[in-house]
Amino acid sequence: MSRVLIIESSARQQDSVSRQLTQQFIGQWRAAHPDDQLTVRDLATEQVPHLDATLLGGWMKPAQQRTASEQAALDRSNRLTDELVAADVLVLAAPMYNFAIPSTLKAWFDHVLRAGVTFKYGETGPQGLLVGKRAFVLTARGGIYAGSSLDHQEPYLRQVLGFIGIHDVTFIHAEGLNMGGDFVEKGMNQAIAKLAQVA
């Protein structure tokens, strides 16, 4: 049995393409892996605060010196990190906002990129500690950005996942969604076809 952690980050609940892709993924994965445990964390309905001095204090201060707010921030970061560490498969549902990822997803990363927990610094530089995990990234994009210099989404996610040791990453892009005509149907069909190969 594997543990699958699914992170939703679309600000929209209705008419969200990335959420549609997530549901498609869940249905196919459950059919192929009925014994797996799936956990969904929705960053739109349960937002993670952005990195601030309170969280830094929770990370850096000895327990006896932390304020109640700093301890609460640390506890939240620990929960999110433990959830990620326990997962065998990570699924990120990420619409493209202004050429990059939603700020809610960036905030989640800021909570789980933890020195000594998900990565460490060695003699040759940083080393990811979450080796052996797989990741799938489901994106929704208004234009067509794959391979473009305007795409700050896929390169960033590859880098940040690799930083913590996750190198087996599959991207499934639904592109051209705001371009009208046949672009929407083509973009969705390509994403669904690739999803069908995943499970």
Side-chain angles (χ1 to χ4, degrees):
M1 182 189 79
S2 295
R3 295 183 179 181
V4 182
L5 174 62
I6 300 168
I7 305 295
E8 294 274 23
S9 62
S10 174
R12 296 191 297 173
Q13 295 292 321
Q14 301 296 324
D15 302 320
S16 166
V17 171
S18 65
R19 291 180 186 278
Q20 292 175 35
L21 295 178
T22 301
Q23 291 307 308
Q24 183 88 8
F25 176 92
I26 289 173
Q28 293 176 181
W29 193 272
R30 281 182 170 156
H33 310 278
D35 296 327
D36 282 5
Q37 177 184 325
L38 275 65
T39 300
V40 179
R41 177 167 290 281
D42 192 334
L43 301 178
T45 58
E46 189 178 352
Q47 292 188 5
V48 176
H50 290 291
L51 180 63
D52 59 13
T54 302
L55 179 55
L56 291 176
W59 284 342
M60 298 177 180
K61 291 181 181 178
Q64 64 273 18
Q65 294 180 16
R66 294 181 201 129
T67 66
S69 296
E70 290 168 343
Q71 184 62 52
L74 175 61
D75 291 343
R76 178 178 55 244
S77 178
N78 286 342
R79 286 194 301 272
L80 296 172
T81 306
D82 289 347
E83 200 171 56
L84 173 60
V85 170
D88 302 294
V89 178
L90 173 65
V91 180
L92 301 176
M96 177 182 276
Y97 290 165
N98 300 317
F99 310 108
I101 62 173
S103 62
T104 49
L105 183 54
K106 175 60 165 62
W108 179 81
F109 274 117
D110 286 340
H111 278 69
V112 301
L113 268 68
R114 301 271 301 274
V117 183
T118 56
F119 72 93
K120 67 179 181 179
Y121 289 106
E123 294 180 357
T124 59
Q127 176 184 347
L129 299 177
L130 303 188
V131 295
K133 299 181 188 295
R134 300 170 64 194
F136 298 95
V137 182
L138 317 177
T139 77
R141 299 167 162 196
I144 297 177
Y145 296 98
S148 166
S149 62
L150 295 176
D151 180 3
H152 304 291
Q153 186 185 51
E154 180 172 340
Y156 171 77
L157 289 173
R158 284 195 184 279
Q159 180 175 350
V160 75
L161 290 171
F163 185 77
I164 56 177
I166 304 177
H167 299 283
D168 184 355
V169 184
T170 300
F171 280 81
I172 298 170
H173 298 301
E175 296 201 293
L177 302 179
N178 292 338
M179 295 175 65
D182 296 333
F183 286 101
V184 177
E185 183 178 1
K186 182 179 180 181
M188 287 300 297
N189 286 343
Q190 287 179 342
I192 290 171
K194 191 165 184 180
L195 265 175
Q197 302 171 5
V198 165

